[in-house]
Amino acid sequence: MRHIHRTRRDWAADLGLFVFAACFAAVSSQSVPGVDTLSPGWRAADQAAGGLACAAVLLRRRWPVQLAVVLLLAGTQAHYLTGPALVAVFTVAATRPWRVTAWVAALAFAPLPVFLWRLPEVSEDRAGSAVTYFALIAGAIGWGLFRRSRQQLIASLRERAELAEADAQSRAERARREAREEIAREMHDVLGHRLSLLSVHAGALEYNPGAPRAEIARAAGVIRESAHLALHDLREVIGVLRADAGATQDDRPQPELADLERLVAEARAAGGRIELTVPSGGPAPPALAGRTAYRIVQEALTNVRKHAPGSSVVVRVAGTPGERLTVEVSNTRAPGPDPARAEGGGQGLVGLAERARLAGGELTAGPDDGGFRVRAWLPWQS
């Protein structure tokens, strides 16, 4: 047997309908034609049937169709079943599919053709009572259908709200994930730069142990500073990625195009031969374009140190407002594998191309005159 769980609101509704059925039977008992002509025994049986029918209203949630069929059939012989029958028909229309409701409605209105055929022979009181009965049945069915449609509408709106909330949460989670990926990409560039500088200075100490003390002290200082900055940056990215994703890449100081000179100075201090050409004076490019140009140069210099140590590098940055910002990094041929083919190589270039695309620009990279060239353009809106 299927268990029906009822809330307090359900119980209140069931008790209210029970009271309605009982009151309807009591109020309408005096207006039923011919009730006074019934024998006392039949009247007592009719009243007992009405009481049982009112009590059966409490079973409307478990067996609504069966209850409606029984009450409609029995109501043709008993006068006190109209109230419970209205409740049962209403429950069927409010909770059951359209087809089931149509069959119950057909059963309820089955006597109507016979009544219309015999209407000239029926007394005025009985005709009025029959018309009222059919009108009440129609009203109960209509009210039940309205309630069913309203419940379906509410359920649909609730489902839409839940879907919208889930979609909003998904979009927020996607935005947080993209922010984390952007932070990780930024930190990849920074850590790669720091660690490559550290590797260059450590390699110089390893292969030149007889260098002057001052040079060894300077290299050791650069190693210590680079290691300290790398650890600091690593702590930052781990802290951000472990957080609730409430932070974004804008929470960290972002480099600008003006920071290229400092970046190149660090690379020169590690022994790199770098020629830098940047726009002098004039307006600065937008923050996104400037930051992207800085990251492109940073990753390109890191790749040169990893894959073509000892080669000379030319960095050219040019552009004017309203046109585009052009970034070009090229290095001469040097011993070592092609940066696009070395172990782990190519991933940084893929990341740079994606970074340029997100900024609205384009990046190309490949061999050039025995060396390697990275060239990108970025929009510079005035």
Side-chain angles (χ1 to χ4, degrees), residues 276-297:
L276 174 64
T277 302
V278 293
S280 59
L288 178 60
R291 180 168 66 250
T292 304
Y294 178 93
R295 294 305 186 194
I296 290 173
V297 174

Side-chain angles (χ1 to χ4, degrees), residues 3 13 19 45 57 67 72 81 121 125-126 171 187 267 304 361 366:
H3 177 69
V19 172
V57 166
L67 180 64
L72 287 173
L81 303 185
E121 305 174 3
D125 291 342
R126 288 185 177 275
R171 284 187 280 108
M187 297 311 301
V304 170

